[in-house]
Structures are given as structure tokens and as C-alpha cells.
Amino acid sequence: MIKKFIDKLLGKPSATTVKAAKGKRVEVEAAEHGIDLGLVDDNAIRVVKTLADAGFEAYIVGGAVRDLLVGLRPKDFDVATNATPEQVKGLFRRAFIIGRRFRIVHVVFGRGRDHEVIEVSTFRAVMDASAAEQVTGNEKTSKGELAGKTHVVDAAGRVLRDNVWGPQIEDAARRDFTVNAMYYDPQRQIVVDYHGGIKDAKKKVLRMIGDPATRYREDPVRIVRVVRFAAKLGFAIEPKTRAPIREMASLLQSVPASRTFDEMIKLLQTGHALASIEELKKQGLAGGGLGFFPILDLVIDTGVKYPERAKFVNAALADTDRRVGEGKPVAPSFMLACMLWHDVQDGWTRLKKRGEASFPALQQAVDAVFNSRIGDISGGGKLGADMRDIWLMQPRFDRRVGNGPLTLVEQPRFRAGFDFLRLRADSGEIDPALATWWEDFSQADPEDRPHMIQEVRKTERRAPRAAGASAGAAPSPAPQDDEDDLPPSDRDSTDAPRKRRRRRRKPAGAAPDAG
């Protein structure tokens, strides 16, 4: 009894907990697991070798091993080791210790846009949740209490700090699903499996390690992860793992909004965004204003009410899936701009009806959407700036005369803005001819572009005259742009009509000019 009490004070797991957690170590040879070493990242192999040469255990771990087993090339590679973060950092020239909840090391290779990060974590111990220190708040409200602590949970049992090191067998037990708890040694080409992960991977089953309800309580984001993996891999969720999802879903409300937002982005960038949304709805996690993913709720509920809007968003998500499948980069800013576009449009229309000029009204509508839908999660960073550029570019595509097109086509975000325009055309929101003209204009030689602008001007001038002539009316003047409806960069045009000089009328009786 005294020993159990001391173990509890020290944060050691009980004998029963350890026995249940251990599983059984099985080493699987290459002939059986069939992993293609050619799919393994060279830098990940280099990190494993460096750690092994220094006398530490090191393995590629988690999702990378799972993907390799089913013949996929992993997008990211993580490494697990018995070296502490400080020891890992000391072995690499460019390595950085990050994180509070989980302290890990980012080992960086390369520079600029082509750099690569290998994430290295230290084996963690299985801890008895009842032995953890407890705080009443969360990561933000309890910062002072969390300082210097290694194992802390909140009032609901959600883990806020987990930095107690342990052996690999316990590290495997801490991982969420059996298919994510395998370790691959690329030097010996063996897979270490404690919980039947290889068997579940071959059966295409997602199975939680331990009691699912307890594991969801420790980290509610696992609820989102199981949906994401099911959609991405086409795996079935094992019944016991699926059963507590709806009951536990309310725990997602305690997760910081920034983390939930990041998980939503991951969910939509698996290459199976549409399937992910369907899986969320199937598990009762999206639509109906549940509040776990407010942006998704908005899109789903609006799509039910306005099918034409759903067509646009679905086209955008399908395009994202296609790009991921082709190995092309995808920007979350573009995807979110598509999902929130109709919300922006509604605000834009309301403001114009109140008398606001078009472009200032659009700017105000954009600000309102950020304030109501995104807040301070990412609206002030690059993601938010890119979304604004895409939206504010749309009315500029309507103006195809003057210097506007020449200026617009040189904008850094022109391609994203044009791709957005093309989606609007494909879904029937605008005339496809407009998107076709801009595609031709962007691909034209610079010396041919002024000619294309002149052709548009001639067409715009002819159209009103033709309409007036057919009705037996006098010709109408060519349409003029409202300067207030344009961004400042589009208000200067070399094609603007010259101002006429008024001749001053001479007063009566004045002498004629001298010849």
C-alpha cells in the first residue's frame, strides 16, 4: 500500500497500467513488411544514422511507417529516439527545441522554400493520469501553474504537459492508434510492432490503443484524427474506437481554437477533403451549427440552403484534392477564401445597397468576415493577407481597359486570384468568357497585351451603339468606370479621355486680338 502511494506521488504508473500498456515487442523483417526503402526520405535516414552512431536508439515512427506499409510516399517523416531533446540538439548543426505540451526537436535541412524539417521526439513514459498535477484552466489561462511542470492535466483529464521520458515499449502505448505505433529502422530494415499495427494496416482498420473513451479524454483532437485517417486511408474505424466519438465530441470545445483550426486545415488537405467532410457528418461532428468547426458548419449549412453555392465550394475542394493527388502544393489560404467567399459576397451586397461604393464595401465585408469567422487565429498573418488579396482582386478582373490589366497581371498573388476567378466561372457564377480572356491575357507576350486591351475598349464602345441602333434610339456613350469602385492602383489610366479646355468668352465690346 505504501509503495503504491509513493509511486503515485512520483507519477509512476501502476503495475496494472504498465502491464496493459506494454504490449509485446515483435520485430518484422523486410521480407514480411515489404517496405520499399526507395520511398524513405534521405534526410530521415541521415537523422537515424547520426543518432545511432552516437549510441542512441532511433527509428522512423508513426504515420510515415503506416504510409510506407501501404505503399504511399509519406509527406512528412518523424523520428523517435531515447536521446533527450538536449542530446538531439547537440548532434545537429541546425536543430531547435520547440513546444511546451510536448518538447520536440526540429532538425532542419536546406534553406529557403526548399528546406525540410525532420521532427525528432524522445520516447515518453506511460503515466497514470491520477498522478498528474491538475490545473483548473487551460494552456492560456494557467500558464503560471504550468511553468516547470512535466505532467499536467486539466479538470477534464486533457493532457496539458507530457514530458516524462521512458522506454520505447511505453512510448508505443502512448500513441493513439495501432497503425501509428510502429517503428522502422531503415538501417536494419526492420519494423518494431507492439500492438498489431501491421495486421491492422493490412486489414485497413483504425483501432485505438487502450480504452478509447479514456484516450479521447486525454486528447480530444484524437476524435478529429481518426476521421482524417479514415478519409485519407480509406480505413474503417473499429467499432469500439468509433462508439464513444459522439459522446466525447463535446470535449473538443475545451481545445484551443488555434489548434482546432489547424486540425481542420489538415483535414481538408489530405487529398480527400470531400470524403473528410462526409466522414465528419457521418460521425455527427459537422453541420447544424455544432461549433467544433464553425467554418465547416457555415459551408455545410449554407450548401443545404443554396445548392449553387455548394457547387462552387465542392469544386474548390475537389480541385484541392486533385492537386494533392498530383503532388502539387496547396495553399490553405486559397481553400479558406473559397469556403468563405459567399459570406463575403453577402456582406458586400448589403453594404452596396446601403449606398457604399463597391470597392470600399468589399473591403468592409472582408474585415467583417475575418472578425466573425476567423478572429485572431490567423487573420493577421500571411494566410489572412493572401485571402484578402484573392478576394479584393475579384472586382479588378471586371476592368479590362486602361493600365489596370497590366498592373494586375504582375501582382504576386495574380495566379491565385485568377484560379479563384476560374472556379467562379466553372460554377456558373460569372461569364466563362471573362476567365478565358484573362487566361489568354496572362499568357500573351507583353507587347501583345496593349492590343488586347484596345480590342476590349472597342468592343465596349460598340456594344451600346449597336443596342441603341436596334431600338431606333440615339447612340449611347461608352460605359465609364466609377473611380470610387476601384482600388487606387487601378485609377490611373493612360486611356482616360482628355479634359477639354474651355475657351474664355470675351466680354461684350472688347477689342479684337491684335493680329
Side-chain angles (χ1 to χ4, degrees):
M1 182 69 72
I2 295 176
K3 184 179 184 300
K4 287 184 180 180
F5 177 72
I6 293 174
D7 286 347
K8 187 174 181 179
L9 286 178
L10 295 175
K12 293 182 179 180
S14 67
T16 305
T17 304
V18 172
K19 185 177 180 181
K22 278 187 176 180
K24 182 180 179 182
R25 180 186 175 100
V26 177
E27 292 189 0
V28 182
E29 302 289 338
E32 184 178 347
H33 62 63
I35 288 177
D36 180 359
L37 192 60
L39 294 176
V40 183
D41 183 84
D42 289 340
N43 289 328
I45 295 175
R46 189 173 295 121
V47 170
V48 170
K49 185 177 185 306
T50 300
L51 287 162
D53 289 347
F56 298 106
E57 293 181 70
Y59 300 82
I60 293 170
V61 69
V65 184
R66 178 201 66 221
D67 289 353
L68 289 167
L69 280 170
V70 296
L72 299 175
R73 184 183 295 276
K75 182 181 178 183
D76 301 303
F77 284 83
D78 297 338
V79 170
T81 178
N82 62 346
T84 66
E86 290 75 17
Q87 289 170 328
V88 174
K89 186 177 186 301
L91 291 173
F92 299 93
R93 188 168 58 87
R94 297 179 64 211
F96 309 91
I97 298 175
I98 67 164
R100 294 187 181 90
R101 183 168 179 261
F102 299 117
R103 293 180 71 232
I104 58 178
V105 181
H106 278 181
V107 180
V108 183
F109 295 92
R111 295 185 181 277
R113 298 181 66 179
D114 296 327
H115 81 283
E116 181 183 8
V117 175
I118 304 296
E119 192 171 283
V120 184
S121 61
T122 303
F123 296 151
R124 285 172 170 79
V126 171
M127 300 297 293
D128 185 351
S130 64
E133 296 186 65
Q134 189 179 98
V135 296
T136 54
N138 57 30
E139 292 90 331
K140 289 186 176 180
T141 59
S142 301
K143 281 185 178 180
E145 294 178 76
L146 291 169
K149 292 182 172 62
T150 58
H151 187 214
V152 185
V153 298
D154 68 8
R158 183 167 65 92
V159 178
L160 303 182
R161 290 288 184 275
D162 188 1
N163 293 302
V164 181
W165 318 134
Q168 184 188 49
I169 193 170
E170 293 190 21
D171 186 76
R174 280 189 59 266
R175 296 182 180 269
D176 45 18
F177 309 108
T178 59
V179 295
N180 290 344
M182 294 177 285
Y183 303 77
Y184 177 58
D185 182 344
Q187 295 184 286
R188 294 187 294 156
Q189 294 191 48
I190 64 165
V191 171
V192 178
D193 183 7
Y194 289 95
H195 298 278
I198 290 180
K199 182 179 177 182
D200 284 344
K202 289 181 177 178
K203 287 184 175 181
K204 295 189 174 182
V205 170
L206 288 168
R207 186 189 313 275
M208 185 72 77
I209 297 172
D211 174 58
T214 301
R215 303 309 304 279
Y216 290 139
R217 192 173 290 108
E218 289 172 353
D219 185 3
V221 168
R222 287 175 177 146
I223 295 169
V224 185
R225 285 166 59 83
V226 73
V227 168
R228 173 155 56 92
F229 295 143
K232 174 186 175 181
L233 302 167
F235 282 20
I237 303 174
E238 182 261 338
K240 290 182 180 178
T241 302
R242 185 179 62 247
I245 287 179
R246 293 199 183 196
E247 179 189 348
M248 299 279 113
S250 60
L251 296 174
L252 285 167
Q253 302 284 10
S254 67
V255 177
S258 58
R259 190 171 178 220
T260 307
F261 183 85
D262 289 343
E263 289 296 327
M264 184 195 73
I265 296 298
K266 290 179 186 177
L267 194 78
L268 298 176
Q269 290 187 319
T270 61
H272 302 84
L274 293 171
S276 295
I277 291 176
E278 287 306 309
E279 188 68 32
L280 281 172
K281 290 194 287 187
K282 179 181 174 182
Q283 302 302 333
L285 299 173
L290 290 172
F292 308 137
F293 308 100
I295 295 174
L296 281 182
D297 287 348
L298 172 71
V299 170
I300 293 169
D301 296 341
T302 301
V304 172
K305 191 174 181 181
Y306 304 104
E308 69 280 3
R309 296 186 175 190
K311 182 180 178 182
F312 172 77
V313 174
N314 287 342
L317 295 175
D319 187 63
T320 298
D321 289 346
R322 176 188 61 79
R323 290 183 65 85
V324 173
E326 294 174 357
K328 295 179 179 178
V330 291
S333 56
F334 184 87
M335 182 173 58
L336 287 170
C338 292
M339 294 171 72
L340 292 172
W341 170 237
H342 295 111
D343 210 22
V344 170
Q345 275 191 317
D346 288 344
W348 188 16
T349 301
R350 283 194 300 271
L351 288 165
K352 285 193 292 185
K353 284 181 177 179
R354 293 177 192 170
E356 288 280 356
S358 182
F359 194 76
L362 177 57
Q363 290 176 310
Q364 291 178 49
V366 168
D367 289 341
V369 167
F370 271 109
N371 291 337
S372 62
R373 305 297 183 193
I374 296 181
D376 62 355
I377 296 173
S378 60
K382 185 179 185 302
L383 184 146
D386 289 348
M387 290 171 66
R388 290 172 189 272
D389 285 348
I390 290 169
W391 287 330
L392 296 177
M393 210 177 283
Q394 297 312 299
R396 298 179 65 184
F397 285 114
D398 294 329
R399 178 179 168 84
R400 293 180 293 160
V401 295
N403 281 341
L406 299 173
T407 303
L408 184 57
V409 80
E410 298 299 329
Q411 295 294 315
R413 297 292 298 165
F414 170 80
R415 190 69 216 181
F418 168 75
D419 288 344
F420 193 91
L421 182 80
R422 171 61 71 186
L423 278 174
R424 293 174 64 203
D426 291 346
S427 61
E429 185 180 311
I430 60 169
D431 185 350
L434 180 64
T436 299
W437 186 89
W438 275 101
E439 184 170 15
D440 293 341
F441 184 78
S442 65
Q443 295 174 356
D445 292 331
E447 57 268 23
D448 293 334
R449 288 174 179 170
H451 176 70
M452 293 180 68
I453 293 171
Q454 288 298 328
E455 287 298 312
V456 171
R457 178 171 285 279
K458 289 177 184 176
T459 302
E460 289 183 352
R461 283 175 174 167
R462 281 197 301 267
R465 285 200 295 271
S470 63
S476 302
Q480 299 296 318
D481 292 308
D482 182 351
E483 292 292 313
D484 288 336
D485 287 353
L486 297 171
S489 58
D490 277 3
R491 292 179 188 170
D492 55 334
S493 170
T494 55
D495 293 325
R498 294 180 180 176
K499 292 182 179 179
R500 292 182 180 179
R501 273 190 174 182
R502 290 189 178 183
R503 299 182 66 180
R504 181 178 296 176
R505 183 174 295 175
K506 294 179 181 179
D513 290 335

